[in-house]
Amino acid sequence: MAVVSTPLVRGGWWRRPVGLRALVVVSVITLLAWLLFIVGATWWVRANVQARVQLRDQSLLMRLPQGMETNVDVRSRVMTRLQADPMLAVPVHQTMRVRLPDTLEARTVVRTVVPVQTQFQYKTEIPVDTLVSMDVPVVSWLPAMAIQLPIRVTVPVDITVPISVQLPLALDLRAKGHVTEPLKVPMHTTMRMRVPLRADIEAEVLSRTHSRLLGPMEPFPIQIDQALLTLPLGNLSWIRQARDPAVGASRPGP
C-alpha cells in the first residue's frame, strides 16, 4: 500500500500521512452529504413549487368515470323587500321611580270613636238677695203679725264632676301637600304592540348538491378559450402512463 508523506519543512507545519482508507471514507461521506442535499432540495421543490400552464383555444374530449361523486356549492344572491306588521307581546317586570313635582290634594272621611275621661271642676260664689215673708204671733189672743225680712247672702259653690264618655267622630278631611322623595312603583304587565317592519333584505343563499355518476358516459367535447392551470409538482408522477385515446386534446395549442 502506498503511503504519501510530507517531510517536515523548517518554518512550516507537520502533516500526518493520509492513507487510502481515509480517502475512501471522506469520499463516501462527501457523496452521502451531496446525495442528501440533492434529495432534500428535490423534495422541497416538489412540495412548494407549482407549475403554471396557460391554455388558449384548446379543444378537449372528456369522459367522466363511472361512480364519480361530485359536491357542488351554488351561491346565489337574493334581494327582497320586507313589509310586515307583527304583533308582539312584551312582558315588563321592573320597578319605576316616579317623582311628583305638583301639589297633591286629597279628601278623606275619618270615622272613629274617641274615648274621653276627664273631670269637670266648677267653683264659684252665688249671691242671694231676696225678701222672706212670715207671720209672727206676738200675743196668743192677738192675730199674727205679717212681716218681710230682706236677706242678702253669698253662697260658695265648689263642684267636681267626673266625665267618662265615648265620642263617635265622622270627619270629612281635605289634605294638601308635596312629595319630596321619588316613589318606587312596581310594574308587572304585558305590553302588546304592533311593530311595522320595512327594510330591504339582501341575502346570499348557499345550495349544496351531491351527485354520483351511476352509468358510463360517452366522451363529450369541451372548448377552453383561456385558462391558467396550476400544477403542484408533488402531484406529478415520475412515470408517465399511457393516455386513454378517448380523453385528450384533439388539437394542440399554439
Side-chain angles (χ1 to χ4, degrees):
M1 181 178 59
V3 177
V4 180
S5 62
T6 302
L8 181 61
V9 182
R10 183 181 299 275
W13 51 280
W14 179 78
R15 295 181 179 179
R16 296 180 57 185
V18 179
L20 181 58
R21 182 178 180 181
L23 291 176
V24 173
V25 171
V26 171
S27 301
V28 171
I29 293 176
T30 304
L31 180 60
L32 290 177
W34 180 254
L35 291 177
L36 289 177
F37 173 75
I38 295 298
V39 171
T42 303
W43 175 83
W44 184 87
V45 169
R46 286 178 56 85
N48 298 277
V49 177
Q50 296 178 350
R52 294 185 177 182
V53 179
Q54 188 172 7
L55 302 179
R56 292 179 182 271
D57 300 330
Q58 295 290 328
S59 298
L60 303 177
L61 287 177
M62 181 176 293
R63 184 176 62 186
L64 301 179
Q66 183 178 356
M68 186 185 69
E69 296 183 358
T70 59
N71 294 319
V72 181
D73 293 342
V74 180
R75 298 180 182 270
S76 59
R77 190 173 298 275
V78 178
M79 299 183 63
T80 182
R81 174 72 177 176
L82 176 61
Q83 292 184 352
D85 298 317
M87 180 67 71
L88 301 180
V90 182
V92 179
H93 301 281
Q94 62 180 4
T95 301
M96 303 179 60
R97 299 174 65 90
V98 180
R99 185 179 295 275
L100 302 177
D102 299 334
T103 301
L104 300 180
E105 295 184 2
R107 180 178 179 180
T108 182
V109 177
V110 179
R111 299 181 183 273
T112 184
V113 176
V114 181
V116 178
Q117 292 184 357
T118 183
Q119 290 182 353
F120 177 75
Q121 187 173 6
Y122 181 76
K123 185 177 182 181
T124 186
E125 293 180 352
I126 301 176
V128 177
D129 187 0
T130 185
L131 292 175
V132 178
S133 299
M134 63 180 61
D135 294 333
V136 179
V138 179
V139 182
S140 59
W141 51 271
L142 290 177
M145 184 183 294
I147 61 174
Q148 290 185 348
L149 297 177
I151 299 175
R152 293 182 177 178
V153 296
T154 301
V155 180
V157 178
D158 188 358
I159 302 173
T160 300
V161 180
I163 299 175
S164 178
V165 295
Q166 300 285 335
L167 297 180
L169 297 180
L171 303 178
D172 188 357
L173 301 180
R174 292 175 177 264
K176 180 186 295 185
H178 296 273
V179 179
T180 57
E181 296 295 330
L183 302 179
K184 295 182 179 180
V185 180
M187 179 181 294
H188 302 281
T189 183
T190 300
M191 301 178 61
R192 300 185 179 275
M193 59 184 68
R194 187 178 297 277
V195 181
L197 299 179
R198 305 290 186 271
D200 295 330
I201 299 178
E202 181 178 353
E204 186 176 86
V205 179
L206 175 61
S207 300
R208 293 186 175 180
T209 304
H210 177 77
S211 61
R212 182 178 181 181
L213 186 60
L214 300 179
M217 187 174 182
E218 295 295 331
F220 57 92
I222 61 173
Q223 178 70 26
I224 300 178
D225 295 333
Q226 184 177 359
L228 180 61
L229 299 181
T230 301
L231 303 176
L233 297 182
N235 296 337
L236 300 180
S237 59
W238 292 101
I239 301 176
R240 191 177 184 87
Q241 298 179 357
R243 188 179 58 181
D244 192 341
V247 180
S250 61
R251 182 171 57 88

